[in-house]
Amino acid sequence: MDIRSATPSDAEGMKAVHDEIFAAGLRKAPGDIGQVMTSYIEQTDRIGCFVAVNDDGRILGFQSLRYARPDNPYGVAEGWGIIGTHVSPHASRQGVGSGLFRATLDAAKASGLAKIDASIGADNALGLAYYEAMGFRTYRTPQGLVCKVFEVNEEKRSE
């Protein structure tokens, strides 16, 4: 598996990951190329967006990290990072999420971030477990969400 920065040529594969997550009942809407481009690949506040690619060139998952700006839709403190993780259900338990997070954490450190927010649906047991395993801890629970924070300089992950 190769972890690398996402490029515009990855949009179709990233959309396919969204579609697989939707088909498994874990996402509210199928993928959209335009949304993939604007939300991840060409995101103006982007710190990094990484894809996990198998030996056949298939995208197994992707993770984005962007700066939290004032009045962001997630209510995240300005200057923190906002992370989003999307892994195909067909690629679960293969180290995709942990591989992606290593690349994202390197980008967070390089950008000088102190904290990263993950806002997860309260009913998303897989997402909650993933972020907990990566070292994120709950810091607030607005209606329908569990918001977890990762302290970049207090990394407590085991490699």
Side-chain angles (χ1 to χ4, degrees):
M1 177 174 52
D2 182 36
I3 306 289
R4 60 171 174 73
S5 289
T7 66
S9 65
D10 294 318
E12 187 65 41
M14 293 166 71
K15 175 197 173 299
V17 168
H18 269 179
D19 289 345
E20 292 166 0
I21 295 169
F22 173 72
L26 302 171
R27 184 174 167 81
K28 294 179 174 117
D32 174 270
I33 293 288
Q35 186 261 338
V36 167
M37 291 298 293
T38 59
S39 295
Y40 308 113
I41 296 172
E42 296 175 344
Q43 217 295 326
T44 57
D45 293 326
R46 173 182 162 162
I47 296 169
C49 183
F50 302 95
V51 291
V53 184
N54 73 6
D55 293 338
D56 297 327
R58 181 174 176 266
I59 294 177
L60 304 173
F62 63 96
Q63 189 166 71
S64 65
L65 181 65
R66 65 181 177 168
Y67 290 106
R69 298 295 183 204
D71 300 320
N72 65 77
Y74 308 101
V76 175
E78 182 180 358
W80 285 24
I82 299 173
I83 194 171
T85 305
H86 312 273
V87 176
S88 169
H90 306 298
S92 65
R93 313 296 297 167
Q94 295 179 25
V96 174
S98 58
L100 288 167
F101 189 62
R102 280 190 294 275
T104 298
L105 185 57
D106 287 345
K109 289 176 179 178
S111 72
L113 282 183
K115 297 180 181 188
I116 303 170
D117 168 273
S119 295
I120 307 117
D123 61 347
N124 183 347
L126 290 172
L128 293 167
Y130 166 74
Y131 284 110
E132 193 73 20
M134 294 300 105
F136 286 72
R137 299 297 175 248
T138 301
Y139 75 99
R140 64 185 176 108
T141 54
Q143 186 172 349
L145 291 175
V146 175
C147 299
K148 294 185 172 287
V149 63
F150 185 91
E151 305 272 348
V152 174
N153 296 321
E154 295 178 23
E155 183 178 348
K156 294 178 180 159
R157 297 180 305 113
S158 60
E159 295 297 324

